[in-house]
Amino acid sequence: MRAVALVGVLAALAVPWVLGPYPVLMLSHALILGLLAMSANLLTGVTGLPTLGQAAYLGVGGYAAATVARAVTPVGVVQLLAAVAAGVAAALLTGTVVARSHGIVAIMVTLAVAELLHEAAVRWTPVTGGTDGLAGIGDVVPFWGLPPLPLDGQVYYYVLAVFALLAAGVAALVRSPVGLVLRGVRDHESRMRAHGYSVFRYRLLAHGAAGGLAGAAGALTVSAQRYFSPADLGFDVSALALLAVVIGGAGSMWGACAGAALLVVLRDQGLLGAHNGLLLGVTCLVAVYALPRGLAGLRWRAGARYPEKGFRC
């Protein structure tokens, strides 16, 4: 596995040197969707709290980062921190309702939250720019003292670096004692209550962490496309994140990222022109019936441990 990981790292680093600007930008968006998919997976696969509204927190983080970029500073670290803080705050605020929900009710509550925030983004024109969005965002500066990043390849490296740091943080969280409690809450909620754990608090914690991760994805969206609009927090974005979890395998973070990359390629390559939605639907059906454990199930068939849940990152 170390050899495979090394090859993957080298391939990721070589991308701007072997591909053109559009594929590089597409892969940047794949990494961003991968973060959003990990956010959804942290709730759906690890905590057992299904969600269809993670794009809402991506939108909150994206607007926070865009506002900071336009009015305060082009430094990416500041934009990221503002986006993460906004995402966590919004997730904790709405999580007081979501964390008490289960099953289809949780899905409907998260969908309602996402639609409300999307409608607010459309109508709150002085802050969000309405349907025109927020334009005029300059090139991101990764850190104080560094030059701006005008090229898509440079922005890709920035997105890749942030993605790697956040993915490592998510992996540490999932493997930590908190992650074990979250999985216990998902599998044996009544038993965890009997042992004295506050199910609501742990669910709210997971919801806040997932909101912060989605907020970071929003900040990277601003850095990659230098523009942000209500379309970036639409229902289709949340659906793609959940679909990436289904294709990759619930509970597997690397599987969610692989599913996100596959979906971005299918969506943006235009293989079927105006019928790309049909291709995404067929892909989902094939994944559900041919790979019930998702792409992570392929690793299990090769001999991975813990085959029953696919929690490994």
Side-chain angles (χ1 to χ4, degrees):
M1 290 301 298
R2 291 183 179 179
V4 174
L6 179 59
V7 171
V9 170
L10 293 176
L13 293 175
V15 162
W17 299 93
V18 298
L19 297 178
Y22 179 73
V24 169
L25 180 61
M26 183 178 66
L27 289 177
S28 294
H29 283 291
L31 292 173
I32 293 169
L33 183 60
L35 285 178
L36 189 63
M38 284 195 290
S39 171
N41 205 11
L42 184 60
L43 294 176
T44 302
V46 177
T47 312
L49 191 62
T51 176
L52 199 55
Q54 287 309 101
Y57 310 111
L58 180 148
V60 171
Y63 278 116
T67 302
V68 169
R70 287 169 44 132
V72 182
T73 177
V75 176
V77 173
V78 179
Q79 298 172 24
L80 271 171
L81 291 177
V84 170
V88 170
L92 291 178
L93 181 63
T94 58
T96 56
V97 177
V98 177
R100 290 186 170 91
S101 306
H102 296 80
I104 190 65
V105 176
I107 293 179
M108 297 307 296
V109 170
T110 56
L111 177 59
V113 169
E115 289 302 305
L116 285 172
L117 288 178
H118 179 265
E119 188 66 18
V122 171
R123 295 183 178 275
W124 201 6
T125 304
V127 175
T128 65
T131 55
D132 294 332
L134 296 179
I137 300 172
D139 299 329
V140 65
V141 176
F143 204 78
W144 292 276
L146 295 179
L149 306 178
L151 302 179
D152 289 332
Q154 295 172 332
V155 175
Y156 166 80
Y157 280 133
Y158 169 68
V159 172
L160 179 63
V162 175
F163 172 87
L165 289 174
L166 293 177
V170 172
L173 174 63
V174 171
R175 293 169 176 164
S176 70
V178 173
L180 292 175
V181 174
L182 292 177
R183 294 197 288 272
V185 167
R186 183 205 60 195
D187 291 335
H188 304 286
E189 182 177 331
S190 59
R191 184 177 298 179
M192 296 302 291
R193 282 200 176 95
H195 281 288
Y197 291 98
S198 174
V199 171
F200 170 75
R201 289 182 181 178
Y202 276 96
R203 283 188 167 187
L204 186 61
L205 173 65
H207 202 262
L213 192 62
L220 294 181
T221 301
V222 172
S223 299
Q225 63 190 23
R226 301 169 182 86
Y227 171 77
F228 202 81
S229 75
D232 294 307
L233 60 148
F235 168 76
D236 57 327
V237 179
S238 293
L240 281 177
L242 187 59
L243 183 55
V245 173
V246 173
I247 293 176
S252 171
M253 295 301 171
W254 74 264
C257 294
L262 176 62
L263 289 176
V264 169
V265 171
L266 293 177
R267 181 192 65 183
D268 294 349
Q269 280 294 337
L271 299 177
L272 293 182
H275 302 289
N276 268 7
L278 175 63
L279 181 58
L280 289 175
V282 171
T283 301
C284 182
L285 290 176
V286 171
V288 169
Y289 286 101
L291 296 172
R293 301 176 188 271
L295 297 174
L298 298 176
R299 179 179 174 182
W300 164 58
R301 292 177 184 178
R305 296 173 61 193
Y306 309 112
E308 71 278 9
K309 297 298 180 184
F311 290 134
R312 305 280 289 188
C313 293

